[in-house]
Amino acid sequence: MVNVLTDATFKEALAQPLPVVVDFWAPWCGPCKMLGPVIDELAAEYAGKLYVCKMNVDENDEVCQQYGIMSIPTVLFFKNGELVNRHVGFAPKAKMQQNFEAML
C-alpha cells in the first residue's frame, strides 16, 4: 500500500521504524504517470519492509523546497529519518527495485 503524505504528515512518516521511500509526483506529469504503477507494485512487494509514500508536489511545496525537488518524478529514500538516496525521472521496475533493495 502506498501512503499519501502532505507537508503536515511528512515528519511523522520519517519517524517510521522502516526505511521510507517517497515518490514526489503531480497528476499532469507524464513520466510520473509511468512511474506511479511501478511504485505501487513495489510498495505491495515490499510491504512490511519499506514504508512507501507519495507526495503531490502541487499541494505540498514546503517539503519540496526543503529537499530541492526541481523536477518530477523524484523518489527520495530515507533511513532513520536521513536522506540516503535520490532518483530523478522515470526508471523501469528493475532499476527501481535495485533502489528499493538497497534500502534493506
Side-chain angles (χ1 to χ4, degrees):
M1 180 180 114
V2 177
N3 304 280
V4 177
L5 296 184
T6 64
D7 284 339
T9 61
F10 187 79
K11 284 185 180 158
E12 179 183 309
L14 291 187
Q16 295 294 317
L18 299 174
V20 177
V21 178
V22 184
D23 174 22
F24 291 84
W25 71 286
W28 48 263
C29 166
C32 298
K33 290 178 185 176
M34 293 167 46
L35 185 62
V38 171
I39 297 292
D40 293 344
E41 282 180 37
L42 290 170
E45 291 173 22
Y46 288 84
K49 298 177 185 173
L50 297 174
Y51 190 72
V52 182
C53 312
K54 291 188 178 194
M55 180 174 265
N56 185 327
V57 298
D58 289 340
E59 298 170 357
N60 302 284
D61 52 324
E62 183 180 309
V63 171
C64 293
Q65 288 178 6
Q66 180 181 351
Y67 287 96
I69 305 300
M70 301 303 242
S71 62
I72 52 174
T74 292
V75 183
L76 300 183
F77 299 85
F78 296 88
K79 271 190 182 174
N80 302 316
E82 298 294 319
L83 180 64
V84 296
N85 193 10
R86 172 187 298 253
H87 178 89
V88 179
F90 173 77
K93 184 177 178 183
K95 173 60 181 160
M96 290 308 298
Q97 192 162 14
Q98 289 175 350
N99 290 326
F100 276 58
E101 280 293 320
M103 296 300 293
L104 300 178

